Structure formats: structure tokens, C-alpha cells
Amino acid sequence: MGSGKRGGEGRNSRLEEGVRSVLSRWNGLQLAVHNQWGGSDSLQKSHHLASDLISSLSKSTEPVRLEDLENLLHESMLLTFNTDIEDGSIEEVAEQLAIIHEEYLHSQLSY
């Protein structure tokens, strides 16, 4: 009856939890938030980045390109937090997000 909807919500919540978890472990973003490199609303800006990623990934029906994720993360850090990350972490975060998204797509196919 309502189980199909609940299953979809569960998949979305796993996607959301995965994205938020990856971002919470990303030192570059956490430093930017802690030091308010994006201004006094840096924490809200990091939540907005997470929401944008979740929205974009949940709407995508094809695997995302790593390059697209890397560009989005780089641009967001540069424009939102005035931070140029060059330690390789953007690529790592993009790869983790792509894996989470692939798992999300796979869960879509199993229903």
C-alpha cells in the first residue's frame, strides 16, 4: 500500500545521509566553515551545498561524471568560501559522491 513510497523515501534518505556524511568528513569544507571563509553564514552555505548535491544526484538517472562533480565542488569552494582546494580532496570527495550515487541508482533498479 504505502510501502513503495516508503522504499523511495528510504533510498532518498540513504542518498542524503551519504552526501552529508562525505561532506562532514571533508577537511577542506570543514575548515572553510569553521574559519568562516564564506562569511558568518558559512555553516548555512555548507548545508546549501549539501542540499544542492542531494537534489542534483537524486534527479540524475545516469551515472554522474567525476569531472562534473569535481568542477561543481571546486567552483562552490572557490565562489562560496573563497577557497582554492589543491590537496586532491576534491577528487576524493567527488569519487565518494559518485559511488554513493551509483548505489542510489542501483537501488532504483531493484524496485
Side-chain angles (χ1 to χ4, degrees), residues 11 100-111:
R11 289 189 301 275
I100 289 167
H101 183 251
E102 284 182 34
E103 290 170 354
Y104 171 76
L105 289 178
H106 181 69
S107 72
Q108 300 281 74
L109 296 175
S110 61
Y111 285 90

Side-chain angles (χ1 to χ4, degrees), residues 89-102:
S89 64
I90 284 180
E91 293 80 6
E92 292 173 18
V93 169
E95 188 173 325
Q96 292 170 5
L97 292 172
I99 291 167
I100 289 167
H101 183 251
E102 284 182 34

Side-chain angles (χ1 to χ4, degrees), residues 9-45:
E9 289 171 0
R11 289 189 301 275
N12 284 342
S13 87
R14 283 193 301 272
L15 175 68
E16 182 175 339
E17 288 171 14
V19 169
R20 292 190 190 283
S21 175
V22 167
L23 294 181
S24 74
R25 293 188 314 264
W26 184 16
N27 283 340
L29 177 60
Q30 295 312 310
L31 279 170
V33 169
H34 178 76
N35 293 307
Q36 297 188 346
W37 294 338
S40 61
D41 60 344
S42 290
L43 180 61
Q44 290 81 6
K45 289 178 178 178

Side-chain angles (χ1 to χ4, degrees), residues 73-98:
L73 293 170
H74 179 74
E75 186 176 291
S76 178
M77 291 303 292
L78 197 57
L79 298 177
T80 306
F81 296 101
N82 197 30
T83 304
D84 193 10
I85 305 280
E86 296 181 356
D87 63 358
S89 64
I90 284 180
E91 293 80 6
E92 292 173 18
V93 169
E95 188 173 325
Q96 292 170 5
L97 292 172

Side-chain angles (χ1 to χ4, degrees), residues 38-53:
S40 61
D41 60 344
S42 290
L43 180 61
Q44 290 81 6
K45 289 178 178 178
S46 72
H47 293 315
H48 187 73
L49 172 60
S51 295
D52 286 350
L53 284 166

